[in-house]
Amino acid sequence: MENCIFCKIVAGEIPAHKVYENDEMIIFKDIEPKAKIHLLCVPKEHFAYLTELNEDRAALLARMMETIARIKDELGLEDGYRLVINQGEAAGQTVHHLHIHILGGEKLDWE
Ligand code: 5GP
Ligand code: ZN
């Protein structure tokens, strides 16, 4: 997808601090962390919104969450973590390539 910043990170065209990669997803550090640990889990396939989920993409999203759970200790998230997906402008979605925010490394407030 042209002009998609996360597609460019997936393609290695712009740098990111990757902490995990497999054939269908990458996890890298958010450039503006909102918690002590703030990572983004991004599918390699470009699609923009949760509202575009189909059966295959829902299964991919489940594998993303399963992967995060499996490697949580390596990511420094052994004490717990929060997953966030912002859907659409009103929720604050600024990058239109689906991504899961992974927040942790400290006690998180709930506002
Ligand atoms: P959204 O607001 O769409 O849910 O989240 C987008 C996230 O991507 C933001 O937390 C923002 O800091 C992060 N971000 C935007 N551009 C870049 C970038 O070029 N590199 C990295 N590592 N993170 C980015
Ligand atoms: Zn993209």
Side-chain angles (χ1 to χ4, degrees):
M1 193 71 174
E2 266 178 61
N3 295 325
C4 171
I5 197 147
F6 287 175
C7 281
K8 288 183 178 162
I9 288 174
V10 166
E13 289 166 13
I14 63 167
H17 188 129
K18 280 184 209 166
V19 296
Y20 179 81
E21 179 167 13
N22 68 19
D23 58 337
E24 58 184 2
M25 71 190 79
I26 60 171
I27 303 177
F28 55 93
K29 292 189 179 182
D30 194 291
I31 207 166
E32 277 184 55
K34 308 281 192 305
K36 198 164 167 201
I37 297 174
H38 186 172
L39 305 169
L40 299 170
C41 185
V42 172
K44 291 188 172 179
E45 178 205 355
H46 178 96
F47 64 101
Y49 305 114
L50 263 183
T51 48
E52 296 175 59
L53 283 189
N54 54 27
E55 205 172 314
D56 286 347
R57 288 170 177 170
L60 170 60
L61 191 59
R63 288 194 296 278
M64 290 164 67
M65 290 191 280
E66 185 276 331
T67 299
I68 294 163
R70 186 163 37 80
I71 66 171
K72 66 179 173 44
D73 292 2
E74 294 163 41
L75 300 178
L77 300 167
E78 48 278 279
D79 293 336
Y81 55 90
R82 179 176 297 157
L83 303 183
V84 173
I85 299 176
N86 294 323
Q87 163 61 42
E89 304 280 342
Q93 185 174 6
T94 57
V95 177
H96 300 277
H97 178 136
L98 187 104
H99 50 281
I100 305 176
H101 294 264
I102 308 167
L103 300 154
E106 63 182 321
K107 184 92 172 73
L108 300 170
D109 290 332
W110 181 257
E111 292 168 32

